[in-house]
Structure formats: C-alpha cells, structure tokens
Amino acid sequence: MTTVIIKYNAGNIQSVLYALERIGAEALVTDDHEKIVSADKVIFPGVGEASTAMQYLKERNLDSLIRELRQPVLGICLGMQLMCTHSEENDTACLGIFEESVRKFQPSANGETVKVPQIGWNNIYGLKTDLFQGVPENSYCYFVHGYYAALGQHTIAKTDYPDPYSSALHRDNFYGVQFHPEKSARVGEQILKNFIER
Amino acid sequence: MLTKRIIPCLDIKDGRTVKGINFENIRDAGDPVELGALYARQGADELVFLDITATVEKRKTLRELVNRISHHINIPFTVGGGISSVEDVRVLLQNGADKISVNTAAYKNPQLIADLSREFGSQCVVLAIDTRQEADGNWYVYLNGGRTRTDALTTDWARQAVELGAGEILLTSMNHDGTKQGFALDITGTLAAALPVPVIASGGGGTMQHFVEAFTRGKADAALAASIFHFKEIAIPELKAFLLEKGISIRH
C-alpha cells in the first residue's frame, strides 16, 4: 500500500505528510511520474495561486498525468480547485476533471458581506460518498481560501460563505476537498483515514 | 457558518513557553509542544507560537520546534518572532508552519509583506501590530516588542499592509496586554470594520465575558490569549460553552 503526495510548487506539502504519519500512514512526497502512476493512492495538495501552479504542472507534464490517473486521487484546497475546469483566479484553465467552475467570493445576493480569504472553521453538510463515513453532518473543518468551486453534479459536501458552495467534489476515482483535512483536528483525520483505508 | 476562533498564544524562549506581563517579567509555563497539543485536544481553533529568543541559535531551534509542533498538532498554527526574510519563511513553512507573523521587520521594510504574499500567498502572512493609545487619543504602532514608538497610526499601517498582501491582522493592545481588564474594543472594532481581512484581538482577555465583547462590540474574527490559558484560569471547553450560550458562532 503506497500513498504518494504530488510534489510541486504549492506550499505546505509537509503538513499533509505529517498528518498521514499521525494516522499511521506512510507516504512519499514526489514528482516522479512512475512513482505517482504506480501508487495505490495519490494526494494532490496545494496552497497558492492557480495560474502559477498550473504553469508549473504543465512544464513537468504533471497536468496530463493527473488527469489520467486511475487510482483514488484526493485534491486538497488549491489541488481540488485545479481539478476543476476553470478558475477565475487569473483566468486559469484547469485540469477539467470536475465540471464545476472556481469563482472568487463575492458578497451575497442579499448584501451580506464576507471577508476574503475565508479563514477558519466552517460546517460541511450534505455529505455523500464513503469519504465522509463516520463524519457527522455539520462537522467543522478548517478552511483557508479566497476562491470556491460552485455547486454542481459532482458536489459531495456543501459549505456556506455566505452562499452555499462545494466544499468537496467527487467523480469516478477523483475526490477533492476545499478544506484542509490535515489541519481539521479529528474530523480531518477521519476523512484522511477514509481515503487511505477505503 | 464560519466560526469565531479562540487562539492560545505560546511565547517561546529557548524552546520553552513563557509569558510576560506587560511585555516584561518572564515566567516559565512549560513545554510548548505538550501545551499546544493539550490546547488542540481541548478545542483550540488555532495556535500562535511567538519566538522571543534572541540568540544566534534562534533560527535552528525555531525550525526544530516548528517541525516537532507540526508532527504532533492537528490544528493550524502560526509562527512569529524575528522573521525578516522570504528565506526565513520558506524554512518555517517547509517544516510545517501554516502561517507566519511579521511585525517590526515588515514595518521597516513593507516590501517584505508584498514579497511574502506573492511567494507564499496572503493566506499565510499575518501582520502583527503592537499598538498603544496615547494621551492624544490616537493608537500608534510600536516596534521591537513594544519598546520603540513610531509616529504611524495603527489604522494607516494596517490598511497599507493589507494592500501589500497581509492576509490577517493580529492586533495587540499594549494598554490592555496583561491587565485582564478586557480587549481593546474600540481599535479592534475600527480595524475589523475597515479591513477586508480577519482581525485577531489580543491583549487583555481576563474573563469569558471579555471574549464575548471582543466578538460582538470588537467585531473580532478571532481572539488570542496566553496566561489565562497557561495558568488554567479559563479552560477552553468552558469558554467555548459560554460563548455558545451567548449566541456566538463557535466550533464545538
């Protein structure tokens, strides 16, 4: 059982590695194509800016590699956003795995304003798939982001800020979470366990 | 709904937790990793580690400490204290820190904020401001752990820093710090209303009601405290239950 964390220029990859260690899972941080393709599980983390990250992935042919992966893949935060079709962040074409589009947070239609980026703990609800097995509805997870994926057919968790958006997505072998499971205390550890052990 | 955050702050000197009263009189309060893990289990929403070590060994010991923290703690943490370059930050983030806070170095070289936010994203750049209200009624920015006064108004500096890319403001009122008489509600509220980024209230939290006020009248997004947690005057679970009862949105 091997888990690979895709190494690229997005920050804070170590946190994911340490979180896996805390739940007793070993992982390898690498950008080696062969190691990624042959892993049982792949984690695609990310904190940073969309266009720079996509550029970096393209230069190393990691974009097409990720798209073609057959094993379970978990995108985290920017990783999940990059798995969508397009991001408003510097008008970036992304990997196109999820059809949901990524937009910048705006004040709500009823005029409610929010601070951007969203920083802190928010609820996840409408939970679907075994990624959330044992995770109660409205559990709190830790979010840090200025852009969000809209609701769509691949939505498997929702969060309100101020309006509902996709806090997790799923299609075939691909999963994405907007929050940081590696920083979401026991709830996050349960989600990582579900992904690693399923 | 996004919740208000409770943030215990651990001041670190030579690898141990300390807490000064009014920025002086340092007392020992234990192992920072143990204490941080305890707070995480008790429901702290985030942790801040401020390194006040002044030795040349500082960089290495801080890096090792950050590495140890990130192996043991499952909630986000910020590291601050004497950070003055992109390279300093890179090392801390590589060792697992989620955010870093800058203070004096950023004031002296505001370009540092722009460089850090471009390199690592504004979400990990916290600007810490130590502020004091003077006889003229204005709040001024202080540097070097509160020892050096500047002529800058806190609102002006905070606005400039956010424009440069600071993603969060950690505001410590020197008038209130260590007094346990409550947070500086007016300047915190002014900044929280004026800025598009979260504001963390710091300095003066002594009772659970003070936290309610920080979040309501002070409009703070988070409240930070140290000694009341370290010396077990207020327990985090009890504080969170109290805040919930008062209608504050809190993770529980």
Side-chain angles (χ1 to χ4, degrees), chain A residues 9 11-15 17-19 21-22 47-49 52 112 114-123 140-145 159-161 180-187 189, chain B residues 1-3 5 40 44-46 67 69-77 93-99 120-123 167-168 191-193 195-199 219 221 250-252:
Chain A
N9 65 333
N12 235 357
I13 285 173
Q14 291 302 116
S15 303
L17 181 67
Y18 299 153
E21 283 178 19
R22 286 197 301 271
V47 171
E49 191 276 319
T52 322
E112 193 187 340
V114 291
K115 296 197 172 184
V116 179
Q118 172 176 227
I119 300 181
W121 298 80
N122 202 334
N123 309 92
Y140 290 96
C141 288
Y142 189 80
F143 291 84
V144 182
H145 60 127
T159 293
D160 299 345
Y161 192 69
H180 287 273
E182 75 277 17
K183 290 290 169 180
S184 294
R186 288 172 67 184
V187 168
E189 286 169 356
Chain B
M1 187 173 179
L2 183 66
T3 56
R5 287 169 281 153
D45 297 303
E46 255 179 73
N67 193 279
I69 294 165
S70 51
H71 272 95
H72 289 93
I73 289 180
N74 61 8
I75 59 170
F77 67 98
L93 295 182
Q94 277 170 355
N95 279 278
D98 298 286
K99 312 181 204 177
F120 309 110
S122 62
Q123 82 290 333
E168 212 167 358
L191 282 192
L195 299 175
V197 301
V199 173
K219 304 183 189 71
D221 299 281
I250 280 287
R251 177 175 73 111
H252 55 283

Side-chain angles (χ1 to χ4, degrees), chain A residues 1 3 19-20 22-25 40-43 71-74 76 124 127-137 139 141 156-157 168 170 173-177 179 181-182 184-198:
Chain A
M1 170 73 195
T3 299
L20 292 175
R22 286 197 301 271
I23 62 166
D40 295 306
K41 299 280 162 65
V42 175
I43 294 181
Q71 64 276 60
V73 178
L74 177 65
I76 297 176
I124 55 171
L127 307 179
K128 295 178 194 163
T129 78
D130 51 8
L131 187 66
F132 295 109
Q133 196 178 3
V135 176
E137 281 286 312
S139 288
C141 288
I156 53 166
H170 168 242
N173 55 318
F174 294 98
Y175 295 82
V177 291
F179 52 86
E182 75 277 17
S184 294
R186 288 172 67 184
V187 168
E189 286 169 356
Q190 182 65 50
I191 292 166
L192 286 177
K193 261 190 195 163
N194 290 344
F195 177 72
I196 295 296
E197 293 170 7
R198 64 182 279 281

Side-chain angles (χ1 to χ4, degrees), chain B residues 109-147:
Chain B
N109 170 26
Q111 181 62 30
L112 177 64
I113 298 175
D115 292 346
L116 292 176
S117 73
R118 200 181 45 240
E119 189 74 20
F120 309 110
S122 62
Q123 82 290 333
C124 79
V125 183
V126 180
L127 177 73
I129 304 177
D130 295 327
T131 186
R132 184 193 287 278
Q133 188 177 32
E134 313 246 307
D136 65 3
N138 288 323
W139 291 88
Y140 292 92
V141 176
Y142 275 69
L143 304 177
N144 299 314
R147 289 187 297 275

Side-chain angles (χ1 to χ4, degrees), chain B residues 43-56:
Chain B
D45 297 303
E46 255 179 73
L47 298 168
V48 169
F49 295 87
L50 285 181
D51 187 26
I52 57 170
T53 309
T55 60
V56 288

Side-chain angles (χ1 to χ4, degrees), chain B residues 184-251:
Chain B
L185 302 178
D186 54 349
I187 185 67
T188 305
T190 302
L191 282 192
L195 299 175
V197 301
V199 173
I200 305 167
S202 160
T207 68
M208 297 196 286
Q209 185 60 31
H210 291 155
F211 286 82
V212 175
E213 287 159 9
F215 295 135
T216 52
R217 284 174 56 204
K219 304 183 189 71
D221 299 281
L224 176 145
S227 55
I228 53 161
F229 298 134
H230 305 335
F231 298 116
K232 301 188 173 64
E233 290 160 28
I234 294 179
I236 291 167
E238 183 193 6
L239 171 60
K240 288 192 137 185
F242 183 82
L243 291 169
L244 273 174
E245 201 180 288
K246 297 289 175 183
I248 311 285
S249 169
I250 280 287
R251 177 175 73 111

